[in-house]
Amino acid sequence: MPKNATLVRDPVLVDLALQGGGSHGAFTWGVLDRFLEEPWLKIDGVSGTSAGAMNAAVHVHGHEKGGVAGAREALEAFLLLLALGTFLAGINTSLQIIFLGLAMALAVPAIVWLKQTALFLFLVAAAVIGIGLALWRR
């Protein structure tokens, strides 16, 4: 087969059950992102518990708003905001709850918005300060 030939295959429908657990949420994001890169793989149904349920909800919401690209953007934005909230939790635990709420509410447009405004730089600086304060307090 020539190097630039494209393999054409019928779509394969899959149903996913995503597991819970804090670090499993990040792993699941990577798996979902990889699945979404394959044009022949179609996610027909998705469910989950705990972190898996959050990934499932963000995936479905993003897919509804913008197809595969929307689902990928939504998952990236959600994990970015969740990670930022986790870093800021070193300063104040309520900030983590606020950022989790923001991540759930703004998942689809958030990554585009954050990348295009000065607020993104502010949030990165806040995360660095949060990490510094958390390490200093130890």
Side-chain angles (χ1 to χ4, degrees):
M1 179 184 314
K3 286 184 180 181
N4 55 355
T6 303
L7 181 64
V8 178
R9 56 187 301 180
D10 292 331
V12 174
L13 295 176
V14 295
D15 295 312
L16 301 176
L18 309 178
Q19 69 185 28
S23 62
H24 294 286
F27 175 78
T28 301
W29 168 45
V31 171
L32 280 172
D33 193 57
R34 180 63 182 97
F35 279 178
L36 292 168
E37 289 179 348
E38 295 297 333
W40 56 270
L41 190 60
K42 304 294 181 196
I43 299 173
D44 191 41
V46 61
S47 66
T49 60
S50 189
M54 290 192 295
N55 278 325
V58 171
H59 169 267
V60 169
H61 177 72
H63 199 276
E64 175 70 21
K65 297 292 183 185
V68 171
R72 293 182 76 192
E73 282 182 4
L75 287 163
E76 181 182 359
F78 174 70
L79 268 294
L80 174 69
L81 288 171
L82 187 59
L84 185 57
T86 301
F87 288 134
L88 291 175
I91 300 171
N92 184 337
T93 307
S94 63
L95 289 176
Q96 184 176 14
I97 296 167
I98 291 168
F99 273 88
L100 177 59
L102 283 172
M104 293 300 287
L106 303 174
V108 174
I111 196 72
V112 174
W113 180 69
L114 285 173
K115 286 181 179 178
Q116 294 178 353
T117 65
L119 183 59
F120 177 71
L121 295 175
F122 169 76
L123 293 175
V124 170
V128 170
I129 291 168
I131 294 168
L133 286 175
L135 293 174
W136 178 70
R137 291 166 73 186
R138 292 178 185 220

